[in-house]
């Protein structure tokens, strides 16, 4: 076999392009990844953590806007006992921000395969939205703002003292 007949290592080793992985923050529009201490120091409301001892601290923390004043998103990655949510790709997502909920809008989204159940959570008014993917609205600086970051599946939303809490994950209301 002549030398020119041998395969060229450069020709056979040509890399094929691959998709760049998209981060959780980019995919869900959560903002900038920060530490919990930085997030707490950056917003004008107390950032709350779940009290469940088996959950542990969040795996990732993000600081984003809107609304004015920022929002803090706490992410727990999927693991045994905390399955991946089809809507977000994470095990649990808790978002907190200074704004009020728009209860009139919540009544309007209860169509098709979406249900809204109004309830009280830790003394604050809220609602459980289940079924088809949906959006929600909140009130900030006197105006109603539709949340357009992502569509979600089952979500628990409630407001206490001007702070809205949003929990997303493959969970039931119980």
């Amino acid at each position: 076999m002549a030398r020119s007949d041998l395969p060229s290592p450069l020709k056979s080793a040509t890399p094929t392009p691959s998709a760049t992985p998209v981060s959780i923050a980019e995919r869900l529009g959560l903002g900038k990844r920060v530490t919990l201490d930085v997030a707490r120091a950056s917003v004008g409301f107390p950032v709350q953590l779940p009290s469940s001892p088996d959950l542990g601290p969040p795996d990732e923390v993000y600081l984003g806007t809107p609304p004015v004043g920022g929002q803090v998103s706490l992410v727990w990655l999927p693991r045994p006992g905390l399955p991946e949510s089809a809507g977000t790709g994470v095990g649990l997502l808790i978002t907190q921000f200074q704004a009020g909920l728009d209860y009139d809008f919540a009544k309007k989204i209860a169509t098709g395969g979406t249900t809204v159940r109004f309830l009280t959570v830790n003394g604050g008014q809220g609602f459980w939205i289940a079924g088809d993917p949906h959006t929600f609205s909140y009130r900030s600086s006197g105006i109603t703002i539709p949340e357009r970051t992502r569509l979600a599946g089952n979500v628990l939303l409630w407001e206490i003292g001007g702070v809205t809490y949003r929990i997303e994950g493959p969970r039931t209301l119980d």
Side-chain angles (χ1 to χ4, degrees), residues 29-122:
L30 301 179
K32 179 181 176 186
R33 188 168 177 186
V34 297
T35 66
L36 183 56
D37 289 338
V38 167
R40 285 181 162 151
S42 300
V43 295
F45 58 90
V47 175
Q48 303 293 326
L49 294 177
S51 60
S52 175
D54 56 327
L55 193 56
D59 295 307
E60 298 177 6
V61 178
Y62 295 91
L63 182 62
T65 56
V68 174
Q71 72 175 356
V72 175
S73 297
L74 309 172
V75 174
W76 284 263
L77 300 174
R79 60 178 180 251
L82 194 61
E84 181 176 324
S85 170
T88 62
V90 301
L92 182 65
L93 172 61
I94 300 176
T95 306
Q96 305 169 38
F97 52 93
Q98 213 161 6
L101 292 175
D102 185 342
Y103 295 94
D104 291 331
F105 182 80
K107 293 175 187 172
K108 294 174 188 173
I109 66 169
T111 59
T114 301
T115 60
V116 178
R117 180 175 167 192
F118 292 86
L119 42 85
T120 302
V121 180
N122 292 335

Side-chain angles (χ1 to χ4, degrees), residues 2-28:
R3 218 52 182 153
S4 60
D5 296 328
L6 294 175
S8 166
L10 292 177
K11 288 181 186 173
S12 61
T14 303
T16 56
S18 63
T20 304
V22 177
S23 72
I24 291 170
E26 290 173 308
R27 191 173 70 244
L28 301 178

